[in-house]
Amino acid sequence: MSNDRPSVLSEVWLPIETIGAECMREKSLGLNSFPPTTRIHVWWARRPLTISRAAILAGALPVWRKDWPRELLAAFPNEEAYQEWFLKLIGIHGDPAISRRLLQEANEKGIKLKSSPYGYSRAFTYNPNPEQFYTLALLLKHTWGVSEISMLDPFSGGGSIPFEARRFGFDTYANELNPVA
């Protein structure tokens, strides 16, 4: 039995420390305190939107390849450019792990920072722009033969995965046994 399915990002590369730091930031208090899904109903195991978004996209997007069509190679001349684009697509426009360490050091020393070390809005507040949607569609079409992807979450709980799948234009199907959800 052969496996003709292309490798996807989640199988090869996923910057866990970076995404984890952004998820911790998502759960902290502050301006635009919590994502909209937290206001729908109380859910004890709600997943951060940032990791939900990363999991959906990293499961659908291919690993960078040097034999991509010219248009994709123009957008992503190397793997590093592709990975940077992925982080921006999920809303991470800096290095939240470094920023989190700076905040921890300042707190340990009793220093009150005058501004946020992050330098960009929380990832869950970011919506992709038309150019990113276009590039995403190109990648999906090249990888799967279609640009319209369907996403199923059979145990959707608080709805973070369906919410993010819909935000990226995927046909989304969700189910949950708990009637509260």
Side-chain angles (χ1 to χ4, degrees):
M1 184 171 166
S2 79
N3 182 7
D4 293 336
R5 183 184 62 77
S7 293
V8 293
L9 280 176
S10 61
E11 296 171 325
V12 177
W13 172 84
L14 202 58
I16 299 301
E17 182 183 16
T18 300
I19 294 168
E22 187 63 37
C23 288
M24 291 175 76
R25 181 178 180 213
E26 181 177 316
K27 291 290 189 177
S28 66
L29 295 173
L31 200 56
N32 294 325
S33 293
F34 298 106
T37 55
T38 61
R39 296 182 216 114
I40 295 171
H41 59 81
V42 175
W43 193 258
W44 52 89
R46 188 174 309 279
R47 304 296 172 246
L49 295 179
T50 306
I51 191 61
S52 298
R53 179 185 296 197
I56 290 161
L57 292 171
L61 289 172
V63 173
W64 181 87
R65 295 177 54 116
K66 59 182 160 206
D67 64 350
W68 275 352
R70 215 176 321 193
E71 189 173 11
L72 288 176
L73 284 177
F76 311 116
N78 55 48
E79 190 172 20
E80 185 178 281
Y82 183 51
Q83 291 171 350
E84 186 177 317
W85 175 82
F86 175 84
L87 288 172
K88 285 189 166 126
L89 185 65
I90 66 171
I92 298 176
H93 297 257
D95 190 332
I98 289 173
S99 299
R100 183 150 186 82
R101 283 194 288 275
L102 288 172
L103 278 173
Q104 286 175 329
E105 287 173 14
N107 287 340
E108 288 169 5
K109 294 175 182 175
I111 299 169
K112 177 92 171 138
L113 298 177
K114 292 181 177 157
S115 63
S116 169
Y118 291 96
Y120 64 95
S121 298
R122 294 178 189 200
F124 76 83
T125 66
Y126 179 77
N127 287 311
N129 62 45
E131 183 181 320
Q132 288 171 314
F133 274 121
Y134 175 77
T135 305
L136 176 62
L138 281 178
L139 282 162
L140 295 173
K141 177 84 172 165
H142 174 72
T143 306
W144 307 109
V146 295
S147 59
E148 298 83 26
I149 298 291
S150 295
M151 196 61 62
L152 167 66
D153 186 355
F155 305 103
S156 59
S160 297
I161 288 174
F163 181 83
E164 287 300 331
R166 197 65 207 120
R167 188 190 304 225
F168 282 90
F170 295 172
D171 290 333
T172 305
Y173 302 91
N175 183 55
E176 178 53 53
L177 295 174
N178 186 327
V180 174

